[in-house]
Amino acid sequence: MSILESVVLGAVQGLTEFLPVSSSGHLVLLQKVFGVSEGALAFDIALHVATLVAVIAVFWREIWLMIRRPLSKLTRLVVLATIPAVVVGFAFHNFFEYAFSSGKFLGPCFILTGIVLFLADRNKEQIHYGKDLDSMSYMDAIFVGLAQAAAIIPALSRSGSTISVGLFRGFKKEFAIKFSFLMSVPAIIGSALFDVKNLTGETFQIVGVWPLVLGMLVAGVTGYFAIRFMLDFFSRASMKVFSFYVFLLGALVLLDQFIFKIVFN
């Protein structure tokens, strides 16, 4: 893997992990464009760890409070929302591996992400957004957790799905975004620990030290600013712009998969 490829992939991971457009879908797509296969898993894990650091940097107070008070309502809700992804991830691990390696589901899932974002934004006039941590229920956590579990498949955005379901459940937009990002902490840790058993020192040597370091650095920095963008700007803005983007991207992927066969040959 070249340094340029690692920097581009790191920037894409950092931005798309927290924007509602699917980081996994973008990584799978770009790795196919670049022809990256050897060392891809090791590099993906490293980038996810870097974005985890970005989440901790922004939400360190909340995370520290959850650690200090493991029985607090926020901790219980985050844990409950994480369980569906753990169960689904173990139960359908082979399917998800195939989805990542083949990229066959990228087009439809990008489009599905666009539909979810569009509907969540379109229904904002019909839903009363008043829920925050105090009024959030365990059933709310389960629904948001199911959305996160479904989003294990690449191109179905994790943040987009969880934020949208939170909005459908009547969350305040700021709280839906915040809870989605806090949910990402155990999800990223669990995913990294689950996949790390398949790695050897040789896989990291294939990637190279500098591509790995620079990719992680870029992913962490861009991830930090992506979170700030979502919290400061997107909490007041429409999600339609992102829905149109993934609609277009999904359509282009489908065209290549079935007609042009440039990337998916």
Side-chain angles (χ1 to χ4, degrees):
M1 180 181 295
S2 70
I3 289 179
L4 177 60
E5 289 172 344
S6 70
V7 169
V8 171
L9 290 170
V12 169
Q13 164 64 21
L15 290 173
T16 57
E17 178 69 27
F18 304 109
L19 299 182
V21 295
S22 178
S23 63
S24 60
H26 280 77
L27 281 183
V28 171
L29 179 59
L30 282 179
Q31 284 169 354
K32 289 192 172 297
V33 171
F34 292 151
V36 174
S37 57
E38 291 187 318
L41 177 60
F43 191 67
D44 287 354
I45 292 174
L47 294 187
H48 278 86
V49 170
T51 51
L52 173 63
V53 173
V55 178
I56 295 173
V58 176
F59 294 107
W60 66 270
R61 290 183 180 86
E62 290 85 352
I63 294 171
W64 176 240
L65 185 63
M66 290 169 62
I67 294 172
R68 288 180 56 198
R69 300 179 182 176
L71 298 180
S72 68
K73 183 176 183 180
L74 178 59
T75 306
R76 296 197 307 270
L77 290 172
V78 169
V79 170
L80 181 59
T82 303
I83 292 174
V86 174
V87 174
V88 171
F90 273 105
F92 300 98
H93 177 66
N94 290 336
F95 168 75
F96 290 125
E97 275 196 344
Y98 171 73
F100 274 88
S101 62
S102 68
K104 287 186 176 181
F105 301 96
L106 293 184
C109 286
F110 274 130
I111 291 175
L112 180 57
T113 294
I115 293 172
V116 171
L117 295 175
F118 186 83
L119 291 178
D121 191 84
R122 186 178 183 183
N123 290 339
K124 63 184 178 182
E125 300 300 328
Q126 287 76 41
I127 300 175
H128 174 67
Y129 300 121
K131 288 186 181 179
D132 54 15
L133 179 60
D134 292 333
S135 53
M136 182 180 176
S137 68
Y138 292 120
M139 188 57 67
D140 292 328
I142 291 173
F143 273 104
V144 177
L146 289 172
Q148 178 168 256
I152 296 176
I153 191 168
L156 186 57
S157 171
R158 191 207 66 83
S159 61
S161 298
T162 54
I163 292 170
S164 295
V165 170
L167 295 178
F168 284 129
R169 298 291 296 178
F171 289 16
K172 293 178 181 177
K173 199 170 188 180
E174 296 85 350
F175 179 67
I177 295 171
K178 181 177 179 180
F179 190 76
S180 173
F181 290 162
L182 289 174
M183 284 174 61
S184 73
V185 174
I188 294 173
I189 293 174
S191 176
L193 291 175
F194 186 80
D195 287 328
V196 76
K197 69 180 187 300
N198 298 318
L199 301 181
T200 63
E202 184 179 350
T203 57
F204 285 101
Q205 291 176 359
I206 292 172
V207 177
V209 175
W210 281 112
L212 197 66
V213 171
L214 291 176
M216 291 182 68
L217 179 62
V218 172
V221 172
T222 54
Y224 177 86
F225 286 107
I227 296 173
R228 287 299 185 190
F229 169 77
M230 289 288 286
L231 291 173
D232 298 336
F233 172 77
F234 185 62
S235 60
R236 301 183 300 273
S238 169
M239 290 197 289
K240 286 183 179 178
V241 61
F242 294 109
S243 70
F244 295 148
Y245 167 73
V246 288
F247 275 139
L248 177 60
L249 184 58
L252 291 174
V253 170
L254 286 174
L255 285 172
D256 186 73
Q257 287 177 327
F258 291 102
I259 299 177
F260 301 116
K261 299 187 181 299
I262 299 173
V263 175
F264 298 89
N265 45 33

Coordinates of all heavy atoms in Angstrom, one line a residue, residues 95-152:
F95 N -21.5 -14.3 6.4 CA -22.2 -13.5 5.5 C -21.5 -12.1 5.4 O -21.3 -11.6 4.3 CB -23.6 -13.4 5.8 CG -24.4 -12.3 5.0 CD1 -24.7 -12.6 3.7 CD2 -24.7 -11.1 5.6 CE1 -25.3 -11.6 2.9 CE2 -25.4 -10.2 4.9 CZ -25.7 -10.4 3.5
F96 N -21.2 -11.5 6.5 CA -20.7 -10.2 6.5 C -19.3 -10.2 5.9 O -18.9 -9.3 5.2 CB -20.6 -9.6 7.9 CG -22.0 -9.3 8.5 CD1 -22.4 -9.8 9.7 CD2 -22.8 -8.4 7.7 CE1 -23.7 -9.5 10.2 CE2 -24.1 -8.1 8.2 CZ -24.5 -8.7 9.4
E97 N -18.5 -11.3 6.2 CA -17.2 -11.4 5.5 C -17.3 -11.4 4.0 O -16.5 -10.8 3.3 CB -16.4 -12.7 6.0 CG -15.7 -12.5 7.3 CD -14.7 -13.6 7.6 OE1 -14.9 -14.7 6.9 OE2 -13.8 -13.5 8.4
Y98 N -18.3 -12.2 3.5 CA -18.5 -12.3 2.1 C -18.9 -10.9 1.5 O -18.5 -10.5 0.5 CB -19.6 -13.3 1.8 CG -20.1 -13.3 0.4 CD1 -19.3 -13.8 -0.7 CD2 -21.3 -12.8 0.0 CE1 -19.7 -13.8 -2.0 CE2 -21.7 -12.8 -1.3 CZ -20.9 -13.3 -2.3 OH -21.3 -13.2 -3.6
A99 N -19.8 -10.2 2.3 CA -20.3 -8.9 1.8 C -19.1 -7.9 1.7 O -19.0 -7.1 0.8 CB -21.3 -8.3 2.8
F100 N -18.2 -7.9 2.7 CA -17.0 -7.0 2.6 C -16.1 -7.4 1.5 O -15.5 -6.5 0.8 CB -16.3 -7.1 4.0 CG -16.8 -6.1 5.0 CD1 -17.9 -6.5 5.8 CD2 -16.4 -4.8 5.1 CE1 -18.4 -5.7 6.8 CE2 -16.9 -4.0 6.0 CZ -17.9 -4.4 6.9
S101 N -15.8 -8.7 1.3 CA -14.8 -9.1 0.3 C -15.3 -9.0 -1.1 O -14.6 -8.6 -2.0 CB -14.4 -10.6 0.6 OG -15.5 -11.4 0.5
S102 N -16.6 -9.2 -1.3 CA -17.1 -9.2 -2.7 C -17.6 -7.8 -3.1 O -17.5 -7.4 -4.2 CB -18.3 -10.1 -2.8 OG -19.4 -9.7 -2.0
G103 N -18.1 -7.0 -2.1 CA -18.6 -5.7 -2.5 C -19.9 -5.7 -3.3 O -20.4 -4.7 -3.8
K104 N -20.6 -6.9 -3.3 CA -21.8 -7.0 -4.2 C -23.0 -6.2 -3.6 O -23.9 -5.9 -4.4 CB -22.2 -8.5 -4.3 CG -21.2 -9.3 -5.2 CD -21.7 -10.7 -5.4 CE -20.8 -11.5 -6.4 NZ -21.3 -12.9 -6.6
F105 N -23.0 -5.9 -2.4 CA -24.1 -5.3 -1.8 C -24.0 -3.7 -1.7 O -24.8 -3.1 -1.1 CB -24.4 -5.8 -0.4 CG -24.7 -7.3 -0.4 CD1 -23.7 -8.2 -0.1 CD2 -25.9 -7.8 -0.7 CE1 -23.9 -9.6 -0.1 CE2 -26.2 -9.1 -0.7 CZ -25.2 -10.0 -0.4
L106 N -22.8 -3.2 -2.2 CA -22.6 -1.8 -2.0 C -23.7 -0.9 -2.7 O -24.2 0.0 -2.1 CB -21.2 -1.4 -2.6 CG -20.0 -2.0 -1.9 CD1 -18.7 -1.5 -2.6 CD2 -20.0 -1.7 -0.4
G107 N -24.0 -1.2 -3.9 CA -25.0 -0.4 -4.6 C -26.3 -0.3 -4.0 O -26.8 0.7 -3.6
P108 N -26.9 -1.5 -3.7 CA -28.2 -1.5 -3.1 C -28.2 -0.9 -1.7 O -29.2 -0.2 -1.3 CB -28.6 -3.0 -3.0 CG -27.8 -3.6 -4.1 CD -26.6 -2.8 -4.2
C109 N -27.1 -1.1 -0.9 CA -27.1 -0.6 0.5 C -26.8 0.9 0.5 O -27.3 1.6 1.4 CB -26.1 -1.4 1.3 SG -26.6 -3.1 1.7
F110 N -26.0 1.4 -0.4 CA -25.9 2.9 -0.5 C -27.3 3.5 -0.7 O -27.7 4.5 -0.1 CB -24.9 3.3 -1.6 CG -23.5 3.3 -1.2 CD1 -22.5 2.7 -1.9 CD2 -23.1 4.0 0.0 CE1 -21.2 2.7 -1.6 CE2 -21.8 4.0 0.3 CZ -20.8 3.4 -0.4
I111 N -28.0 2.9 -1.7 CA -29.4 3.5 -2.0 C -30.3 3.3 -0.8 O -31.1 4.2 -0.5 CB -29.9 2.8 -3.2 CG1 -29.1 3.2 -4.5 CG2 -31.4 3.1 -3.4 CD1 -29.5 2.5 -5.7
L112 N -30.2 2.2 -0.1 CA -31.1 2.0 1.1 C -30.7 3.0 2.2 O -31.6 3.6 2.8 CB -30.9 0.6 1.6 CG -31.7 0.2 2.9 CD1 -33.2 0.4 2.6 CD2 -31.4 -1.2 3.3
T113 N -29.5 3.3 2.3 CA -29.1 4.4 3.3 C -29.7 5.7 2.9 O -30.2 6.5 3.7 CB -27.5 4.6 3.3 OG1 -27.0 3.4 3.9 CG2 -27.1 5.8 4.1
G114 N -29.7 6.0 1.6 CA -30.3 7.3 1.1 C -31.8 7.3 1.4 O -32.3 8.4 1.8
I115 N -32.5 6.2 1.2 CA -33.9 6.1 1.5 C -34.2 6.4 3.0 O -35.1 7.2 3.4 CB -34.5 4.8 1.1 CG1 -34.4 4.6 -0.4 CG2 -35.9 4.6 1.6 CD1 -34.8 3.3 -0.9
V116 N -33.4 5.8 3.9 CA -33.6 5.9 5.3 C -33.3 7.4 5.7 O -34.1 8.0 6.5 CB -32.6 5.0 6.1 CG1 -32.6 5.3 7.6 CG2 -33.0 3.5 5.9
L117 N -32.3 8.0 5.2 CA -32.0 9.4 5.5 C -33.1 10.3 5.0 O -33.5 11.2 5.7 CB -30.6 9.8 4.9 CG -29.4 9.1 5.5 CD1 -28.2 9.6 4.7 CD2 -29.2 9.4 6.9
F118 N -33.5 10.1 3.8 CA -34.6 10.9 3.2 C -35.9 10.8 4.0 O -36.5 11.9 4.3 CB -34.8 10.5 1.8 CG -35.8 11.4 1.0 CD1 -35.3 12.5 0.4 CD2 -37.1 11.0 0.9 CE1 -36.2 13.4 -0.3 CE2 -38.0 11.9 0.2 CZ -37.5 13.0 -0.4
L119 N -36.3 9.6 4.4 CA -37.5 9.5 5.1 C -37.4 10.1 6.5 O -38.4 10.7 7.0 CB -37.9 8.0 5.2 CG -38.3 7.3 3.9 CD1 -38.5 5.8 4.2 CD2 -39.5 8.0 3.4
A120 N -36.3 9.9 7.2 CA -36.1 10.5 8.5 C -36.2 12.0 8.5 O -36.8 12.6 9.3 CB -34.7 10.1 9.1
D121 N -35.7 12.6 7.4 CA -35.7 14.1 7.3 C -37.1 14.5 6.8 O -37.7 15.5 7.3 CB -34.7 14.6 6.3 CG -34.5 16.1 6.3 OD1 -33.8 16.6 7.1 OD2 -35.2 16.7 5.4
R122 N -37.8 13.7 6.0 CA -39.1 14.1 5.4 C -40.2 14.0 6.5 O -41.1 14.8 6.5 CB -39.4 13.2 4.3 CG -40.7 13.5 3.6 CD -41.0 12.6 2.4 NE -42.2 13.0 1.7 CZ -42.7 12.3 0.6 NH1 -42.1 11.2 0.2 NH2 -43.8 12.7 0.0
N123 N -40.0 13.1 7.5 CA -41.1 12.9 8.5 C -40.9 13.9 9.7 O -41.6 13.7 10.7 CB -41.1 11.5 9.0 CG -41.6 10.6 7.9 OD1 -42.3 11.0 7.0 ND2 -41.2 9.3 8.0
K124 N -39.9 14.8 9.6 CA -39.7 15.6 10.8 C -40.8 16.5 11.2 O -40.9 16.9 12.4 CB -38.4 16.5 10.5 CG -38.6 17.5 9.4 CD -37.3 18.2 9.2 CE -37.4 19.2 8.0 NZ -36.1 19.9 7.7
E125 N -41.7 16.8 10.3 CA -42.9 17.6 10.6 C -43.9 16.8 11.4 O -44.8 17.3 12.1 CB -43.5 18.2 9.4 CG -42.6 19.1 8.6 CD -42.1 20.3 9.4 OE1 -42.8 20.8 10.3 OE2 -40.9 20.7 9.2
Q126 N -43.9 15.4 11.2 CA -44.9 14.6 11.8 C -44.5 14.0 13.1 O -45.3 13.3 13.8 CB -45.3 13.4 10.8 CG -46.1 13.8 9.6 CD -45.3 14.5 8.6 OE1 -44.2 14.1 8.3 NE2 -45.8 15.6 8.0
I127 N -43.2 14.2 13.5 CA -42.7 13.6 14.7 C -42.4 14.6 15.7 O -41.8 15.7 15.4 CB -41.5 12.7 14.4 CG1 -41.8 11.6 13.4 CG2 -40.9 12.1 15.7 CD1 -40.6 10.8 13.0
H128 N -42.8 14.4 16.9 CA -42.4 15.3 18.0 C -41.0 14.9 18.6 O -40.9 13.9 19.2 CB -43.4 15.3 19.1 CG -43.1 16.1 20.3 ND1 -43.0 17.5 20.3 CD2 -42.7 15.8 21.6 CE1 -42.6 18.0 21.5 NE2 -42.5 16.9 22.3
Y129 N -40.0 15.8 18.3 CA -38.7 15.4 18.8 C -38.5 16.0 20.2 O -38.1 17.2 20.3 CB -37.6 16.0 17.8 CG -37.8 15.4 16.4 CD1 -38.0 16.3 15.3 CD2 -37.6 14.1 16.2 CE1 -38.1 15.8 14.1 CE2 -37.7 13.6 14.9 CZ -37.9 14.4 13.9 OH -38.0 13.9 12.6
G130 N -38.7 15.2 21.2 CA -38.5 15.8 22.6 C -37.7 14.9 23.5 O -37.4 15.2 24.6
K131 N -37.4 13.6 23.0 CA -36.7 12.7 23.9 C -35.2 13.0 24.0 O -34.5 13.4 23.1 CB -36.8 11.3 23.3 CG -38.2 10.7 23.5 CD -38.2 9.2 23.0 CE -39.6 8.6 23.1 NZ -39.6 7.2 22.7
D132 N -34.8 12.9 25.3 CA -33.3 13.0 25.6 C -33.0 11.9 26.5 O -33.8 10.9 26.6 CB -33.0 14.4 26.2 CG -33.8 14.7 27.4 OD1 -34.5 13.8 28.0 OD2 -33.8 15.9 27.8
L133 N -31.9 11.9 27.2 CA -31.5 10.8 28.0 C -32.5 10.5 29.1 O -32.8 9.3 29.4 CB -30.1 11.1 28.7 CG -29.6 10.0 29.6 CD1 -29.4 8.7 28.9 CD2 -28.3 10.5 30.3
D134 N -33.1 11.5 29.7 CA -34.1 11.3 30.8 C -35.3 10.6 30.3 O -35.9 9.8 31.1 CB -34.5 12.6 31.4 CG -33.3 13.3 32.2 OD1 -32.4 12.5 32.6 OD2 -33.3 14.5 32.3
S135 N -35.8 10.9 29.1 CA -37.0 10.3 28.6 C -36.8 9.1 27.7 O -37.8 8.4 27.3 CB -37.9 11.3 27.9 OG -37.1 12.0 26.9
M136 N -35.6 8.8 27.4 CA -35.3 7.6 26.5 C -35.6 6.3 27.2 O -35.3 6.2 28.4 CB -33.8 7.6 26.0 CG -33.4 6.5 25.1 SD -31.7 6.6 24.6 CE -31.5 5.1 23.7
S137 N -36.2 5.4 26.5 CA -36.6 4.1 27.1 C -35.7 3.0 26.7 O -34.9 3.1 25.7 CB -38.1 3.8 26.7 OG -38.2 3.5 25.3
Y138 N -35.8 1.8 27.3 CA -35.1 0.7 26.9 C -35.5 0.2 25.6 O -34.7 -0.3 24.8 CB -35.2 -0.4 28.0 CG -34.6 -0.1 29.3 CD1 -35.4 -0.1 30.5 CD2 -33.2 0.1 29.4 CE1 -34.8 0.2 31.7 CE2 -32.6 0.4 30.6 CZ -33.4 0.5 31.8 OH -32.8 0.8 33.0
M139 N -36.8 0.3 25.2 CA -37.2 -0.1 23.9 C -36.6 0.8 22.8 O -36.3 0.4 21.7 CB -38.8 0.0 23.8 CG -39.4 -0.5 22.6 SD -38.9 -2.3 22.3 CE -39.8 -3.1 23.7
D140 N -36.4 2.1 23.1 CA -35.7 3.0 22.2 C -34.3 2.5 21.9 O -33.9 2.4 20.8 CB -35.6 4.4 22.8 CG -37.0 5.1 22.9 OD1 -37.8 4.9 22.0 OD2 -37.2 5.9 23.8
A141 N -33.6 2.1 23.0 CA -32.3 1.6 22.9 C -32.2 0.3 22.0 O -31.3 0.1 21.2 CB -31.7 1.3 24.2
I142 N -33.2 -0.6 22.1 CA -33.3 -1.8 21.4 C -33.5 -1.5 19.9 O -32.8 -2.0 19.0 CB -34.4 -2.7 21.9 CG1 -34.0 -3.3 23.2 CG2 -34.6 -3.9 20.9 CD1 -35.2 -4.0 23.9
F143 N -34.4 -0.5 19.6 CA -34.6 -0.2 18.2 C -33.3 0.4 17.5 O -33.0 0.1 16.4 CB -35.8 0.8 18.1 CG -37.1 0.1 18.0 CD1 -38.0 0.1 19.1 CD2 -37.5 -0.5 16.8 CE1 -39.2 -0.5 19.0 CE2 -38.8 -1.1 16.7 CZ -39.6 -1.1 17.8
V144 N -32.7 1.3 18.2 CA -31.5 1.9 17.7 C -30.4 0.9 17.6 O -29.6 0.9 16.6 CB -31.0 3.1 18.6 CG1 -29.7 3.7 18.1 CG2 -32.1 4.2 18.7
G145 N -30.3 -0.1 18.6 CA -29.4 -1.1 18.5 C -29.6 -2.1 17.3 O -28.6 -2.5 16.7
L146 N -30.8 -2.3 17.0 CA -31.1 -3.1 15.8 C -30.7 -2.4 14.5 O -30.2 -3.1 13.6 CB -32.6 -3.4 15.7 CG -33.2 -4.4 16.8 CD1 -34.7 -4.4 16.7 CD2 -32.6 -5.8 16.6
A147 N -30.8 -1.1 14.5 CA -30.3 -0.4 13.3 C -28.8 -0.5 13.2 O -28.3 -0.6 12.1 CB -30.7 1.1 13.4
Q148 N -28.1 -0.4 14.3 CA -26.7 -0.6 14.3 C -26.3 -2.0 13.8 O -25.3 -2.2 13.1 CB -26.1 -0.3 15.7 CG -24.6 -0.5 15.7 CD -24.0 0.1 17.0 OE1 -23.3 1.1 17.0 NE2 -24.1 -0.6 18.1
A149 N -27.0 -3.0 14.3 CA -26.8 -4.4 13.9 C -26.9 -4.5 12.4 O -26.1 -5.2 11.7 CB -27.7 -5.3 14.6
A150 N -28.0 -4.0 11.8 CA -28.2 -4.1 10.4 C -27.1 -3.4 9.6 O -26.7 -3.8 8.5 CB -29.6 -3.5 10.0
A151 N -26.5 -2.3 10.2 CA -25.5 -1.5 9.5 C -24.1 -2.2 9.5 O -23.2 -1.5 9.0 CB -25.5 -0.1 10.1
I152 N -24.0 -3.4 10.0 CA -22.7 -4.1 9.9 C -22.4 -4.3 8.4 O -21.2 -4.3 8.0 CB -22.7 -5.4 10.7 CG1 -22.9 -5.2 12.2 CG2 -21.4 -6.2 10.4 CD1 -23.1 -6.4 13.0

